Amino acid sequence: MKKWIRGGTVVTAADTYQADVLVQDGQVIAIGQDLDVQGAEVIDASGCYVLPGGIDPHTHLDMPFGGTVTADDFFTGTRAAAFGGTTSIIDFCLTKKGESLRSAIAAWHEKARGKAVIDYGFHLMIAEANDQVLDELESVVTAEGITSLKVFMAYKNVFQADDETLFKTLIRARELGALVQVHAENGDVIDYLTKKALAEGNTDPIYHALTRPPEAEGEATGRAIALTALADAQLYVVHVSCAAAVQRIAEAREKGWNIYGETCPQYLALDISCLEKPDFEGAKYVWSPPLREQWNQDVLWNALKGGILQTVGSDQCSFNFNGQKELGRGDFTRIPNGGPLIEDRMAIVYSEGVRQGRISLNQFVDVCSTKVAKLFGMFPRKGTIAVGSDADIVIFDPDAKRTISAKTHHMNVDYNPFEGKEVYGEVVSVLSRGSYVVRDRQFVGQPGTGQFVKRNSFTRP
Ligand code: URP
Ligand code: ZN
Ligand code: ZN
């Protein structure tokens, strides 16, 4: 049956205009003001924005990490994403040294199968760049549609890869048309500072931040950029948190290099003082990179506005405070790193960004959806509202106010880092390929209806 989204304001990365949108068989089939529609189900969007569904480029669902496993899996995580206006995610498929890429990918497909309620793709972690891995990458990129790779420059003795691995990955990525992503922090320096802090008896959550200084991120970002230039490849720096990293990315882009960057809601709206909350509550705010001094927030917003950073990802990696974050009582290095943000990513960018005049409405759509689709090979199937695009559509009431709380959120986790924060904007209904996932604020999706998206190779947006 056709769906006729009537009376709303269509907002894309390029335009804002009054129009109706007609949906059939999972796609947008018409956009216009005097559509001749018979037999369609009407969705009243008056007073609302009609947005392309958000695309979250950075999630960790059902992921083992820090001696435990993330609290949200592909069902609870994608359900929460939909409530927040996100209709596609790209999750990180972990790999281990010595393991074939194919079996790692198969294991990640198993995690999502029968659970996801919105569409999803995978990025592939590169733990080592041996001949087998470099050979296997061809089919990963061209046949499996996994066109983005991830190298960790931090988490020594866990995920951290050396510069040789990063460089070989960049060279192979250039040959295959894949986008290389880095977690850019100097893991060796952090390892030294961490051991020193513990030896000096400094065990509280705040030392997580103090042992990961901004320049450890700036240095790694600059190094990854230099290696990318040497390899003549393309690089996307995930979760940029501070001016030191933004500056490296800005300089590289000035030179015309193929360098892109993402930031996250926590770096835009929270700061290092959160780690000093009493009763170990600072552990709720342990991310890597860590939260920074507040002045960095303006740098990040300006970088989004000016196109130095292109996207906002959630870095969804949720752990309960009780029983999971608590593993680090008495030793901050044992606090699982990460937080629950998949649901409130777009709310923070809209409310703190658009409503506060820091970015435009169209830039909000761009950084939360369109640019992600373009960088990660999903455009124009996803990331816009256009005839022929997937009908991944969000009906968004821009003037509704709500208070973020763990009592009302849909993530499977016992706290929300934005607890008590008032935000403008409410997701009313969400369509994924034309089918309701959220209807009038109620979840109506079905586990397993989300489809794996084979993505195209990288092209410069
Ligand atoms: O603290 C974080 N960011 N946890 C998730 C893993 C990562 O580094 O992205
Ligand atoms: Zn990371
Ligand atoms: Zn992450």
Side-chain angles (χ1 to χ4, degrees), residues 319-398:
F319 299 103
N320 285 299
F321 180 68
N322 291 298
Q324 292 193 294
K325 289 282 184 181
E326 279 186 326
L327 293 170
R329 275 192 197 272
D331 179 351
F332 69 89
T333 65
R334 295 183 186 278
I335 302 169
N337 290 199
L341 285 155
I342 201 166
E343 186 163 352
D344 299 310
R345 175 183 73 113
M346 293 177 69
I348 295 295
V349 180
Y350 175 74
S351 196
E352 294 290 303
V354 180
R355 298 296 288 222
Q356 304 277 346
R358 291 166 165 140
I359 57 170
S360 73
L361 183 59
N362 306 98
Q363 282 178 317
F364 158 65
V365 172
D366 198 33
V367 301
C368 289
S369 177
T370 314
K371 212 42 116 342
V372 182
K374 288 181 175 172
L375 281 166
F376 290 103
M378 301 163 98
F379 189 83
R381 178 177 163 196
K382 299 197 182 284
T384 193
I385 295 179
V387 172
S389 293
D390 280 359
D392 293 352
I393 295 176
V394 175
I395 313 299
F396 184 81
D397 179 348

Side-chain angles (χ1 to χ4, degrees), residues 269-286:
L270 297 173
D271 67 69
I272 189 169
S273 64
C274 294
L275 283 110
E276 292 181 296
K277 291 200 182 209
D279 302 324
F280 197 61
E281 286 219 31
K284 295 178 178 174
Y285 302 89
V286 165

Side-chain angles (χ1 to χ4, degrees), residues 141 145-147 177 375-380 454-459:
V141 173
I146 297 177
T147 57
L375 281 166
F376 290 103
M378 301 163 98
F379 189 83
K454 283 191 177 185
R455 295 179 289 114
N456 296 323
S457 57
F458 174 81
T459 52

Side-chain angles (χ1 to χ4, degrees), residues 58-60 63 65 70 92 150 152 154-155 159 183 185 208 212 238-239 262 264 266-267 286-290 314-319 325 336-339:
H58 188 156
T59 69
H60 305 277
M63 186 182 86
F65 190 38
T70 57
F92 284 92
K150 166 80 174 287
F152 286 92
Y155 301 125
F159 295 146
H183 173 131
E185 287 186 292
H208 173 79
R212 308 182 87 101
V238 301
H239 51 41
E262 159 202 283
C264 309
Q266 61 271 35
Y267 305 120
V286 165
W287 281 276
S288 295
S314 70
D315 196 5
Q316 165 76 16
C317 190
S318 57
F319 299 103
K325 289 282 184 181
N337 290 199

